[in-house]
Amino acid sequence: MDRYNFNLIEEKWQKSWEINHSYKTQIDKNKKKFYVLEMFPYPSGKIHMGHVRNYTIGDVLARYKLMQGFNVLHPMGWDSFGMPAENAAKQNNLDPKIWTEKNIEIMKKQLKRLGLSIDWDREISTCSPDYYKHQQKFFLELYDKGLVYRKENYVNWDPVDQTVLANEQVIDGKGWRSGALVERKKLNQWFFNISQFSDELLDGLDNLDKWPRKVKIMQQNWIGKSFGCEINFKLENCEKFKEIKIFTTRPDTLFGCSFLALSVDHPVAELFKDDPSFQKFKDNCTKTGTTEEALAQAEKLGFKTSLVAKNPFDETIKVPVFFANFVLMDYGFGAIFGSAGHDQRDLDFARKYKLDVLPVVKPFGHKGDLVIENEAYTGPGVIYNSKFLDGLKAPEESVLEAIKIIENKKLGKKKINFRLKDWGISRQRYWGCPIPIAYDDQNNIVKVPEKMLPVTLPEKINLNTKGNPLDHQKEWVEIKINEKKCKLETDTLDTFVDSSWYFLRFCSPQNKNYGYDIDDIKYWMPVDQYIGGVEHAILHLLYSRFFMQALNYKDDVFNLTEPFDGLFTQGMVCHETYKDENNNWLSPDEIFSKDGKEFFSIENNKKVQVGPSESMSKSKKNTIDPEKIINNYGADAVRLFIMSDSPPEKDVQWSTEGMEGSYKFIQKLWLLHKKFMEKIDNNEIGNFDEEITKYTNSLILKITNNLENFRYNVIIANFYEMYNFFNKKLNSPISKEILINNYYNILKLLNPFIPHFTSECFEEFSKFKKIDNSWPEVNKELLKNETVNLVIQINGKKREILSVKKDISENELLKMVNSNEKIKNFIINKKIMKKIFVPNKIINLIVK
RNA sequence: GCCCUCGUGGUGAAAUUGGUAGACACAAAGGACUUAAAAUCCUUGCCGCUUGCGGAGUGCCAGUUCGAGUCUGGCCGAGGGCACCA
């Protein structure tokens, strides 16, 4: 019997899909749409296993939805602006454009080799002027709407990448890409006013039922809404500043105020600008947060001023005013009051500078005074030491009451603060979308007129310059706008802008006039299922949500603010790590093993240390090249394996044994296919075996449910069971009709997972039955007649399992139980105290 | 420090709403076939008594329940997110 030749067969079908544009999609208003989108890749040069997993998950869904009769949009494109191209180009003296285009060509071939059901006619690339022209238009539109602005601000400066980073792109004080310690620098920057939509972005999360809870919580925390109050403290001894405004979430602890603390960037700092000791303190503060040590220590430091503030609730109470390193200018008002008894940080500060600590909340039922030593009391309780607030329940009653009093006395007002800050989008890099802005000779902002768009990047320039290469492009920078000489902005846009609207572009990829077409958007959007890594939980997903808000702002153009209806975050692909005796990483290709336990270096035969399994990364050399694996085992086998071992949302371990297992399984399925074909061909006369039809029917139900819930690993197990079932069954004669009808459905169930294989099988099978590409329906009548295994328990312990017809009555079952030999031993001479009967599940007899 | 998630055989994992724990695979050991190997197939979680059966068993300790991997409380451990956010 012939082996399954995946090389020939996969090539054959991929060619057929390509020539026929099998997955080309168009608007069809008679059909329900389904938009499947996986996060598009950066064209780094080669696809990796993470891509294989991501795109296979999406492809299974897309093919399943297609079979269900949906009009499926499943596009692919390239997130093709960004630093790696620029760095690679610098190193090899290339043009980033050429480098990128070459990579796209290679990766496109690799993706096609996976057999994905993608509408390649919709392919887009963000570095193409056809794409970023529209982005520039959006930029100007948002500028007109007041959602883009320029200001001088402290920025996160990445000294390695020589660029500015957004807050979201700084991780543990380091650049998300370079890993370099981020510095603080003051620069003129462009910003998107994302904080204007804080409330919308927060509230919108509530309606995203098909998003992982984890991601929603992360975004909630990032937006960081806090409810509190602004309070004005009068200064006793200052001519220039009469008041200091602070923000607090605990106005109810105001009587326990020990001090005021200000950021060193607070306007009041002006009073001390000539004081060298203050300057020294300030310099110390700016360093904090930029060195690793300082981050670890995080010592609370203060600079005591001569200023004295009066407690607004009782002006006879006076508190000192400090500058403190832990108060940030860009949150609240850059000033706080210290509630030493009820905030650990404030208490530490008060102890350090020997300030009074007056507790004003004590736990319920606590008698006498609360003694605060070195731990602040932050729990709930009763207010005391607070005159008119005494006796209130903290915090739920007391906070609201305190705010009411503060507002009545005009000492301040209710205030909601957000942690979310505006999105800095300027990057001092060449390989990004040019910002369509110029400056006249007065340095006024001049919009580049629409007819001059796109502002394209200059090509074939010298990238080995200090700082931004565009700064050195004198000819490119000089332009004329309305006969006026202007200079182009040389910063380019953060590449996260590119990916903030690409899902819209996929709906109208060829529209020359605008980024999208309203009719297309109204039909295709939102994305029904978005699939990608959880590492984008905040950055990309929040930015995309903002972009939808921004495009709809004021105009409400498509009456839709959430781009992604369903979100699925898949786990990573992991592999063991290996190190040689010098602690150098070794790749799986560089080692060998005789027994699968000990590993040796191929180079020098020396023993290799086996490390824990970690997510595949080039730096640890624990990667497996998908291309090689596909060449060895075929795309279907790889798809099957990457779906089989773990739930898609969890990390999966790459294992050669597992990969081989999937390959063998395909071969076994092929033999099963041949067996089916042979039996049908022989036209044998056999049993009209109803059990087979029932089995297939319940399999359809199981797999359909599992598909709806992304339980792909369980489906693969279902397939193995199916194989075992039929492999046995086919040893006995079965009627042709049963064989044809059941095998037809089995092939359909397999199709989303191993499409090349099933296409080939279908082609052979089509001589027996006309093929349609529909998902099999569950026959509900058949489900009713099933037999079920019913568990018999005595005193809660399983004693017997009876196979009975579905929906058996309690009495009927009891008859069987009483006559069962095994059970008799347990109930003989005993009294049945209680019977618990759960239909089709269990009967539990309590005996004594 | 705060927030979230997860703890099931040697391994990856199954177990719709509380109702057969370990499906399905990987690995290892034993066995069958073979001159031999590969391939293939069968058996095997633990503790007892030979088979069959009985007992314990889902990180630990309690609780609710006829019945808990699943629910509640406490503890331990792992992973992830945020971090001077007032």
Side-chain angles (χ1 to χ4, degrees):
Chain A
M1 213 176 256
D2 61 337
R3 279 173 82 75
Y4 178 69
N5 188 332
F6 67 83
N7 269 323
L8 288 178
I9 290 168
E10 290 185 352
E11 198 191 332
K12 166 181 162 187
W13 290 103
Q14 280 164 19
K15 245 187 205 153
S16 154
W17 296 334
E18 179 153 357
I19 291 165
N20 297 320
H21 294 258
S22 302
Y23 303 106
K24 189 177 170 69
T25 324
Q26 278 169 321
I27 287 186
D28 178 349
K29 295 213 164 133
N30 297 318
K31 273 179 160 181
K32 269 185 137 181
K33 66 94 186 179
F34 198 91
Y35 188 173
V36 181
L37 185 66
E38 303 101 12
M39 290 181 183
F40 66 164
Y42 179 82
S44 55
K46 275 181 153 192
I47 63 166
H48 53 71
M49 278 301 171
H51 292 129
V52 174
R53 196 169 192 212
N54 192 176
Y55 300 138
T56 305
I57 293 170
D59 194 53
V60 168
L61 182 68
R63 288 178 183 274
Y64 163 62
K65 289 290 169 188
L66 202 63
M67 290 173 79
Q68 278 193 322
F70 286 94
N71 192 20
V72 173
L73 176 59
H74 187 206
M76 183 60 73
W78 309 96
D79 189 14
S80 50
F81 267 138
M83 300 254 313
E86 197 163 334
N87 291 339
K90 265 188 196 171
Q91 275 165 24
N92 308 314
N93 221 358
L94 290 166
D95 190 332
K97 187 176 161 212
I98 292 165
W99 184 85
T100 304
E101 281 169 355
K102 214 171 119 195
N103 287 345
I104 287 176
E105 201 182 313
I106 296 166
M107 287 176 71
K108 190 172 166 182
K109 223 180 244 170
Q110 291 183 321
L111 288 182
K112 286 192 171 176
R113 188 61 195 82
L114 264 175
L116 305 176
S117 60
I118 281 167
D119 179 0
W120 284 104
D121 294 339
R122 289 178 186 260
E123 181 181 359
I124 58 173
S125 177
T126 58
C127 72
S128 151
D130 292 337
Y131 182 86
Y132 69 70
K133 172 171 94 184
H134 305 295
Q135 187 160 308
Q136 290 173 346
K137 268 194 214 176
F138 289 146
F139 181 95
L140 294 174
E141 275 178 34
L142 298 198
Y143 181 80
D144 290 339
K145 288 178 178 180
L147 297 174
V148 185
Y149 63 92
R150 188 173 143 93
K151 76 167 183 198
E152 190 174 54
N153 198 15
Y154 282 107
V155 294
N156 307 303
W157 179 257
D158 185 322
V160 170
D161 285 350
Q162 290 274 307
T163 188
V164 165
L165 299 176
N167 292 315
E168 294 83 347
Q169 293 160 0
V170 179
I171 295 150
D172 290 337
K174 293 172 192 161
W176 71 293
R177 176 177 280 287
S178 71
L181 285 165
V182 169
E183 295 168 3
R184 257 159 74 91
K185 210 173 171 180
K186 212 165 191 181
L187 274 181
N188 250 316
Q189 295 288 303
W190 286 97
F191 288 86
F192 277 151
N193 195 350
I194 186 167
S195 64
Q196 173 155 348
F197 300 101
S198 297
D199 261 320
E200 286 84 351
L201 291 171
L202 188 66
D203 295 345
L205 293 170
D206 292 340
N207 300 322
L208 297 174
D209 307 329
K210 292 175 223 157
W211 276 41
R213 212 166 68 91
K214 182 172 72 169
V215 174
K216 290 198 279 185
I217 289 170
M218 280 166 73
Q219 291 211 0
Q220 264 167 27
N221 292 340
W222 191 263
I223 295 166
K225 184 176 185 173
S226 58
F227 173 85
C229 175
E230 57 178 72
I231 303 174
N232 296 313
F233 278 70
K234 285 197 179 114
L235 288 181
E236 189 177 63
N237 50 350
C238 182
E239 280 300 308
K240 188 143 192 214
F241 298 94
K242 300 271 186 257
E243 285 186 341
I244 290 176
K245 188 181 276 187
I246 62 97
F247 173 73
T248 182
T249 54
R250 292 301 300 271
D252 55 331
T253 63
L254 188 50
F255 280 106
C257 170
S258 307
F259 60 93
L260 290 193
L262 313 182
S263 160
V264 290
D265 299 316
H266 194 277
V268 169
E270 188 202 317
L271 298 175
F272 303 92
K273 63 174 191 280
D274 298 325
D275 181 342
S277 58
F278 175 73
Q279 274 308 328
K280 205 177 150 198
F281 177 75
K282 189 175 169 175
D283 290 347
N284 256 328
C285 288
T286 33
K287 264 186 222 150
T288 314
T290 62
T291 72
E292 219 160 351
E293 272 170 87
L295 272 174
Q297 284 177 5
E299 199 190 352
K300 316 288 174 270
L301 292 174
F303 177 85
K304 190 168 185 211
T305 69
S306 51
L307 300 171
V308 174
K310 294 189 260 189
N311 191 319
F313 275 170
D314 179 351
E315 296 204 346
T316 63
I317 307 172
K318 316 228 161 128
V319 293
V321 178
F322 284 77
F323 288 99
N325 62 344
F326 59 85
V327 182
L328 308 169
M329 195 55 223
D330 50 7
Y331 186 79
F333 302 105
I336 62 159
F337 86 79
S339 173
H342 309 287
D343 181 287
Q344 192 58 45
R345 189 194 49 202
D346 293 350
L347 180 67
D348 293 345
F349 190 82
R351 292 288 182 227
K352 188 173 170 112
Y353 295 100
K354 304 207 161 46
L355 307 172
D356 296 335
V357 176
L358 179 71
V360 290
V361 183
K362 58 181 175 181
F364 297 112
H366 185 92
K367 286 189 185 125
D369 207 15
L370 185 67
V371 180
I372 304 270
E373 306 255 342
N374 289 315
E375 217 169 295
Y377 180 69
T378 54
V382 182
I383 301 283
Y384 75 119
N385 283 344
S386 298
K387 297 186 180 165
F388 45 84
L389 294 176
D390 280 355
L392 289 170
K393 259 189 211 161
E396 63 271 39
E397 282 175 9
S398 57
V399 170
L400 291 174
E401 184 60 25
I403 292 174
K404 218 160 109 188
I405 294 168
I406 286 164
E407 286 188 333
N408 285 341
K409 294 189 172 175
K410 303 214 160 31
L411 306 170
K413 58 183 183 212
K414 188 172 95 184
K415 164 103 183 155
I416 286 163
N417 243 327
F418 292 94
R419 211 187 73 113
L420 182 68
K421 285 167 207 147
D422 282 342
W423 174 15
I425 48 174
S426 294
R427 296 292 179 274
Q428 292 67 41
R429 308 295 306 189
Y430 163 70
W431 193 235
C433 172
I435 295 174
I437 289 288
Y439 305 93
D440 67 15
D441 48 13
Q442 308 289 307
N443 212 22
N444 294 312
I445 292 170
V446 180
K447 292 192 289 175
V448 176
E450 199 180 316
K451 60 176 189 291
M452 290 176 75
L453 297 183
V455 177
T456 53
L457 285 170
E459 290 185 27
K460 293 179 187 125
I461 68 161
N462 178 18
L463 295 171
N464 283 306
T465 56
K466 224 178 168 192
N468 186 351
L470 288 175
D471 281 339
H472 302 262
Q473 297 303 306
K474 295 276 182 286
E475 270 179 46
W476 179 79
V477 167
E478 309 279 349
I479 61 163
K480 256 191 183 168
I481 294 176
N482 302 328
E483 303 303 313
K484 270 205 311 196
K485 269 193 184 173
C486 293
K487 285 187 172 171
L488 269 178
E489 169 69 66
T490 54
D491 284 352
T492 50
L493 288 175
D494 180 4
T495 55
F496 277 103
V497 179
D498 309 341
S499 53
S500 294
W501 66 281
Y502 78 111
F503 44 88
L504 297 175
R505 186 64 184 165
F506 276 135
C507 300
S508 325
Q510 271 102 29
N511 191 333
K512 289 207 162 56
N513 303 317
Y514 202 65
Y516 54 81
D517 184 290
I518 292 272
D519 289 337
D520 292 335
I521 299 296
K522 284 194 170 153
Y523 181 75
W524 290 115
M525 285 296 287
V527 173
D528 294 278
Q529 188 62 58
Y530 196 34
I531 304 161
V534 72
E535 66 272 20
H536 293 106
I538 292 169
L539 296 162
H540 163 59
L541 290 169
L542 191 64
Y543 294 154
S544 298
R545 296 181 61 222
F546 157 73
F547 228 81
M548 292 290 278
Q549 295 280 351
L551 291 178
N552 278 293
Y553 182 59
K554 288 186 180 167
D555 301 338
D556 204 9
V557 275
F558 34 80
N559 199 14
L560 179 80
T561 48
E562 291 298 337
F564 312 122
D565 186 48
L567 173 69
F568 188 87
T569 52
Q570 97 266 8
M572 290 186 285
V573 186
C574 299
H575 196 283
E576 277 180 339
T577 48
Y578 310 101
K579 274 185 174 177
D580 68 11
E581 78 275 17
N582 299 322
N583 256 355
N584 295 318
W585 300 104
L586 291 176
S587 82
D589 293 337
E590 293 172 311
I591 59 158
F592 71 97
S593 173
K594 284 169 198 157
D595 56 0
K597 282 175 191 159
E598 289 188 312
F599 292 87
F600 300 90
S601 158
I602 290 173
E603 196 191 335
N604 57 16
N605 275 328
K606 282 189 180 158
K607 205 175 156 186
V608 166
Q609 266 185 57
V610 180
S613 188
E614 293 181 61
S615 81
M616 289 187 179
S617 80
K618 276 183 199 158
S619 62
K620 286 176 187 149
K621 292 180 99 175
N622 61 340
T623 54
I624 298 286
D625 180 7
E627 197 173 7
K628 274 191 201 162
I629 297 290
I630 293 171
N631 287 339
N632 286 344
Y633 301 102
D636 281 339
V638 174
R639 292 167 62 111
L640 201 63
F641 173 66
I642 204 87
M643 297 290 93
S644 70
D645 259 20
S646 294
E649 70 275 12
K650 282 176 71 176
D651 287 355
V652 66
Q653 300 267 358
W654 182 267
S655 88
T656 311
E657 293 81 6
M659 184 58 245
E660 273 166 4
S662 295
Y663 174 76
K664 281 179 201 161
F665 185 58
I666 301 258
Q667 294 296 344
K668 282 162 133 190
L669 280 178
W670 184 248
L671 295 181
L672 188 75
H673 167 73
K674 288 294 170 192
K675 228 163 157 179
F676 263 111
M677 289 294 111
E678 202 181 312
K679 279 176 91 78
I680 297 170
D681 243 346
N682 289 346
N683 214 356
E684 66 179 25
I685 297 167
N687 297 328
F688 194 83
D689 190 340
E690 226 195 9
E691 198 201 339
I692 294 180
T693 307
K694 277 186 190 169
Y695 177 84
T696 308
N697 192 49
S698 61
L699 189 68
I700 295 169
L701 179 70
K702 260 194 241 174
I703 290 182
T704 308
N705 283 340
N706 287 334
L707 269 165
E708 291 293 335
N709 297 302
F710 285 100
R711 292 146 48 84
Y712 294 171
N713 58 321
V714 183
I715 295 177
I716 307 299
N718 294 151
F719 287 153
Y720 276 98
E721 281 174 330
M722 178 277 292
Y723 170 83
N724 293 338
F725 176 84
F726 279 104
N727 199 36
K728 258 187 209 144
K729 273 283 172 198
L730 292 192
N731 291 331
S732 47
I734 299 160
S735 85
K736 189 174 170 179
E737 193 191 334
I738 291 274
L739 286 171
I740 289 179
N741 289 337
N742 281 281
Y743 188 50
Y744 183 53
N745 283 336
I746 295 296
L747 283 177
K748 284 181 168 183
L749 294 176
L750 288 167
N751 182 58
F753 292 84
I754 45 174
H756 312 88
F757 178 91
T758 51
S759 296
E760 185 69 15
C761 294
F762 269 133
E763 193 175 65
E764 287 187 25
F765 182 79
S766 62
K767 62 184 173 185
F768 305 120
K769 190 176 168 96
K770 196 170 167 279
I771 308 295
D772 68 24
N773 194 33
S774 68
W775 190 249
E777 294 278 327
V778 176
N779 180 342
K780 282 180 186 145
E781 284 303 307
L782 266 183
L783 289 177
K784 282 183 190 162
N785 302 323
E786 277 188 11
T787 52
V788 292
N789 288 332
L790 222 143
V791 175
I792 318 300
Q793 289 187 342
I794 308 294
N795 290 340
K797 272 195 178 135
K798 180 184 80 178
R799 294 301 177 187
E800 180 66 303
I801 300 166
L802 294 178
S803 187
V804 297
K805 66 173 198 285
K806 207 174 173 185
D807 296 327
I808 191 173
S809 72
E810 185 174 354
N811 282 337
E812 252 179 296
L813 182 69
L814 275 174
K815 266 184 221 160
M816 290 175 75
V817 168
N818 287 328
S819 61
N820 184 291
E821 283 303 319
K822 217 163 141 191
I823 299 295
K824 267 185 191 165
N825 293 330
F826 288 102
I827 53 177
I828 202 158
N829 296 332
K830 298 223 170 112
K831 201 173 155 195
I832 294 178
M833 311 294 288
K834 199 172 175 184
K835 282 177 277 197
I836 297 110
F837 175 66
V838 183
N840 298 322
K841 287 263 155 80
I842 204 161
I843 187 159
N844 188 4
L845 302 177
I846 309 303
V847 299
K848 217 178 175 178

